[in-house]
Amino acid sequence: MVSILLIYLCIRNIDFTKSISLLKNADIGLIVLGIVVYVISYLVRSYRWDYILAPLRKMKLFQSFYYLVFGFFMNNILPLRLGEFVRAIVAGNKLHISKSGVFATIVVERLMDIIIFIISFFLIALFVPNIPNWLQKSFIACALIFGIVFIALFFISRDENKFLKLLYKFNLSTKLTEIIKTAFLKFASGLKFFRNKKLFTVVFITSIIVWIIEAYAYKILFLAFGLHVSAIQCLFVIVTTGIATMLPTAPGFIGAIESVGMITLGIFSIEETIAFTAMAAIHFTEMMAIYILGFIGMIKEKISFSDLFSFALKKNSSNNESINEQ
């Protein structure tokens, strides 16, 4: 329902004749180049995740690439980011490490992205006039919420015993206490990279590189549809739409990316029809790229689509590893 509402708000004033004309005149060569640059950003994401996973298991270069892709692949098929659970389960099974630990590394990865988004938003906002007040307040709220989460995870990684002492104060049953304790310790194992300054620095720098590369992919794709948008403006679009993907929408964040992308491009005086057409086309192009990588990954890793779907349905198993994980 959220996606339907957002799409309706996007298209109600769109000139579809003009939109179709823009699509017909798109530069296919630039679209292909944009996809290539976009895929490179996923290689850098994989390199970053290898570092976050390092305390759990030493990784070969790009070993985690297809496991990472499976997460995004399933996010484009299932709602509520269930793809993240799929990614944790597949990686845990293939690498023979704790699924809860792997899930913790995904939480850290997402948190690093959000931190980069928030920092980028406020830096770029210094030079961008006419930013809607509600958008600024949204990022302030995100800064407060995710700042607290980041601090909490940091202190958990430094001293797990404080959480356990707090747990014992609730006087839960022995069985329930042991289940929570075991699940927590496995989750906390995925936060160990916080303890290593070198690993943290590499992850922070590669996070910046990921979004710079994606900004240039957007710049190329916008140009394919006749839009001359600077790399900084493209990064601003990525930052705002990235935060918008936290909305509960249909699979693939349909509606959220288009609507917020239109609003952001509107700040740069880009007309609604052109902005919607470009955002919808780029979103579709990105989804197709992930679908292709996902199917290639299934062939390479010998995993069927039904396997990936069943992993999503069994997401609760990651919360019960203390009972059934070997």
Side-chain angles (χ1 to χ4, degrees), residues 75-315:
N75 277 341
N76 285 340
I77 295 173
L78 299 169
L80 303 176
R81 287 190 178 273
L82 293 181
E84 309 296 11
F85 291 98
V86 174
R87 179 176 162 191
I89 294 170
V90 172
N93 287 340
K94 290 286 186 176
L95 300 174
H96 306 291
I97 54 180
S98 164
K99 300 179 188 68
S100 290
V102 175
F103 185 71
T105 67
I106 296 171
V107 172
V108 168
E109 181 191 87
R110 284 282 172 264
L111 191 56
M112 292 299 289
D113 285 337
I114 291 171
I115 289 170
I116 297 299
F117 285 169
I118 291 169
I119 293 172
S120 299
F121 177 86
F122 288 111
L123 287 177
I124 298 171
L126 295 173
F127 308 98
V128 177
N130 305 320
I131 296 177
N133 191 46
W134 64 267
L135 189 57
Q136 295 186 48
K137 288 182 178 179
S138 297
F139 272 84
I140 291 171
C142 285
L144 291 172
I145 294 169
F146 291 103
I148 292 170
V149 172
F150 182 85
I151 293 169
L153 292 178
F154 174 79
F155 280 109
I156 288 173
S157 73
R158 306 295 290 185
D159 191 351
E160 299 162 3
N161 291 325
K162 285 186 178 180
F163 174 85
L164 295 177
K165 288 178 182 177
L166 180 63
L167 174 64
Y168 295 138
K169 290 182 179 180
F170 284 98
N171 295 319
L172 302 173
S173 67
T174 303
K175 183 177 179 181
L176 182 57
T177 299
E178 284 303 310
I179 290 174
I180 295 173
K181 176 183 175 181
T182 304
F184 168 75
L185 289 175
K186 289 183 176 180
F187 179 84
S189 68
L191 304 177
K192 289 181 180 178
F193 103 105
F194 276 114
R195 302 176 187 175
N196 188 313
K197 291 182 180 179
K198 181 182 176 181
L199 284 181
F200 183 86
T201 302
V202 170
V203 169
F204 185 78
I205 292 173
T206 50
S207 295
I208 295 173
I209 293 171
V210 164
W211 296 110
I212 290 174
I213 293 172
E214 287 215 13
Y216 275 96
Y218 263 61
K219 180 177 173 62
I220 294 167
L221 290 168
F222 277 133
L223 192 58
F225 296 98
L227 278 177
H228 295 271
V229 184
S230 72
I232 294 297
Q233 291 172 335
C234 289
L235 180 60
F236 199 63
V237 171
I238 288 171
V239 164
T240 56
T241 55
I243 293 296
T245 60
M246 290 189 289
L247 292 171
T249 57
F253 317 114
I254 293 172
I257 289 175
E258 287 79 4
S259 58
V260 176
M262 281 179 66
I263 291 169
T264 308
L265 289 173
I267 294 172
F268 305 124
S269 303
I270 295 175
E271 191 262 325
E272 279 190 347
T273 295
I274 297 173
F276 171 75
T277 305
M279 286 306 307
I282 290 173
H283 189 189
F284 176 79
T285 300
E286 289 178 339
M287 291 178 70
M288 291 303 104
I290 293 299
Y291 285 143
I292 291 169
L293 289 175
F295 285 118
I296 292 172
M298 282 191 283
I299 294 170
K300 186 178 182 299
E301 298 294 333
K302 298 178 181 179
I303 294 176
S304 68
F305 178 76
S306 61
D307 288 334
L308 294 176
F309 193 76
S310 66
F311 290 150
L313 294 178
K314 294 175 183 177
K315 64 183 183 300

